[in-house]
Amino acid sequence: MIRVLICAGILLIASGCAGSERSSATPVAPAPRVRVLGVAQDGGVPHAGCSCDTCLAALVDPARRFHVASLAIILPPDANERKMGVFLIDATPDVTEQLHMLRDVRDAPDGRTDRAPVDGVFLTHAHIGHYTGLMHFGFEVMHAQRTPVWCTERMGEFLRTNAPWSQLVDKDEIRLPTLTIDDPLPLGSGVTITPVEVPHRNEFADTVGYVIAGPARTILYIPDTEPWDRWPEGMLKLEHLLRIHSVDVALLDATFYSLDELPNRHAASIGHPLIVSTMDRLQERSDAGLDVRFIHLNHTNPALDPGSDAQREIERRGFTVAREGAEIGL
Ligand SMILES: [Zn+2]
Ligand SMILES: [Zn+2]
Ligand SMILES: [Zn+2]
């Protein structure tokens, strides 16, 4: 059974097994899980230079701000470690606040800067919302110590050969272990992460999504992609990924809700799947139990507003918009 608990300000969504119940009397062993740290497109909300209603509302009401899309993978301590394992997927321009959103599982040393704030970062691609938060790992801020930043060979080459990122490598603040597409990497606690190839604008490097598989649940995370029907021959299609990885929860690119948001643009010129198209494509799977949550919403996307017709329609059809702070048990 799926249970929804509000716990210390965090919306916890977990199965009815160990880790889902919390009471003051019985401490429960923490279970591996994913926490949503942001749901917005690369520019966040408010968006720079924008005077749309969403951005103006966010300027005056912090509750209407949205961080750039990112996930944390949180693992219980293993036999040798006393602290929780914490990994980020993507280092966004909002990484400062997003690291503070992890203080309950990875608190900084008393009164000092944590130079190893996470056990690693997994990058999806070289667009500004997904990697530029690495600047905070550098000499001017955390001066991190050998943080592993897993990425593809091309992404690693981009970081190694372009300032200011190359300085992070030269100072050994980050290391760049190479990911192999479709090759699962064990993280501990029975959790693996597998990069999957995703088509997207690849000006500087290439793009991946991630399958995060745990003992209880498997999550597919694809924050940026070409529309699903434009995935090239030879690349595993969305439905194949869902099937071969037995995905339970899919967090998918929801940059735009519908064409109404993009006046004077033809569908063929839009480099993302529309939410309405994704719902049509996955309606049967959603009806059959696949949990689809939309993430990476542009500031123009009406579904950001919980009171909007767009969000009501998403929920009526059995889908949801990802929520910052929500946790998904693995
Ligand atoms: Zn993006
Ligand atoms: Zn705006
Ligand atoms: Zn992108």
Side-chain angles (χ1 to χ4, degrees):
M1 190 176 95
I2 303 295
R3 293 166 191 268
V4 179
L5 305 173
I6 304 290
C7 180
I10 299 292
L11 180 69
L12 177 67
I13 302 178
S15 64
C17 57
S20 67
E21 302 276 5
R22 289 191 180 185
S23 82
S24 53
T26 329
V28 176
R33 58 200 192 269
V34 159
R35 182 178 295 176
V36 177
L37 301 180
V39 301
Q41 178 267 3
D42 300 43
V45 177
H47 209 78
C50 184
S51 61
C52 78
D53 290 347
T54 301
C55 290
L56 290 182
L59 282 171
V60 295
D61 180 1
R64 299 182 71 168
R65 292 180 188 187
F66 296 96
H67 296 107
V68 178
S70 173
L71 303 180
I73 302 169
I74 301 167
L75 306 179
D78 68 23
N80 307 317
E81 289 268 351
R82 304 237 325 257
K83 62 183 184 183
M84 309 278 279
V86 179
F87 299 86
L88 287 181
I89 299 190
D90 282 337
T92 84
D94 292 329
V95 74
T96 300
E97 287 179 50
Q98 289 170 324
L99 287 175
H100 285 296
M101 289 167 74
L102 293 166
R103 289 185 66 171
D104 60 317
V105 290
R106 179 59 70 86
D107 209 356
D110 269 353
R112 292 185 292 114
T113 301
D114 192 350
R115 295 180 62 200
V118 290
D119 297 293
V121 181
F122 290 85
L123 298 179
T124 59
H125 66 298
H127 287 161
I128 64 147
H130 301 269
Y131 79 100
T132 58
L134 288 178
M135 64 189 175
H136 290 282
F137 288 73
F139 195 59
E140 297 88 339
V141 190
M142 288 188 287
H143 187 31
Q145 291 175 309
R146 300 177 290 282
T147 300
V149 176
W150 279 277
C151 55
T152 64
E153 195 171 343
R154 214 179 138 196
M155 182 79 206
E157 191 60 19
F158 169 75
L159 295 170
R160 258 189 295 272
T161 55
N162 287 283
W165 320 111
S166 51
Q167 181 173 280
L168 295 168
V169 180
D170 295 343
K171 288 189 178 295
D172 208 13
E173 291 159 335
I174 64 169
R175 292 188 171 177
L176 298 168
T178 301
L179 287 168
T180 306
I181 298 292
D182 296 329
D183 198 4
L185 181 73
L187 294 180
S189 302
V191 173
T192 61
I193 183 164
T194 308
V196 296
E197 195 176 8
V198 169
H200 185 45
R201 292 184 294 117
N202 286 335
E203 299 91 338
F204 307 118
D206 41 15
T207 301
V208 297
Y210 288 104
V211 175
I212 310 145
R217 203 171 274 111
T218 296
I219 297 171
L220 173 66
Y221 180 54
I222 300 181
D224 254 305
T225 173
E226 286 289 316
W228 309 116
D229 55 8
R230 270 191 248 151
W231 281 39
E233 287 305 316
M235 198 177 275
L236 284 173
K237 300 279 192 290
L238 174 62
E239 287 77 2
H240 282 92
L241 291 172
L242 294 172
R243 184 167 47 78
I244 64 172
H245 291 288
S246 303
V247 171
D248 301 289
V249 184
L251 288 148
L252 301 178
D253 179 350
T255 308
F256 303 113
Y257 181 72
S258 73
L259 283 177
D260 295 347
E261 223 173 308
L262 300 151
N264 311 317
R265 290 271 302 272
H266 292 293
S269 71
I270 296 164
H272 299 272
L274 302 170
I275 289 183
V276 287
S277 312
T278 303
M279 290 197 293
D280 288 346
R281 190 167 185 123
L282 296 181
Q283 187 70 63
E284 262 181 46
R285 283 179 173 77
S286 166
D287 293 344
L290 175 67
D291 179 348
V292 180
R293 305 184 192 195
F294 294 113
I295 198 162
H296 194 274
L297 281 73
N298 199 47
H299 64 124
T300 55
N301 192 323
L304 278 172
D305 177 359
S308 63
D309 291 346
Q311 193 165 123
R312 270 196 293 274
E313 176 65 3
I314 288 168
E315 285 171 6
R316 185 190 68 74
R317 293 180 66 166
F319 298 81
T320 48
V321 175
R323 300 248 300 271
E324 294 188 10
E327 292 194 343
I328 305 165
L330 280 169

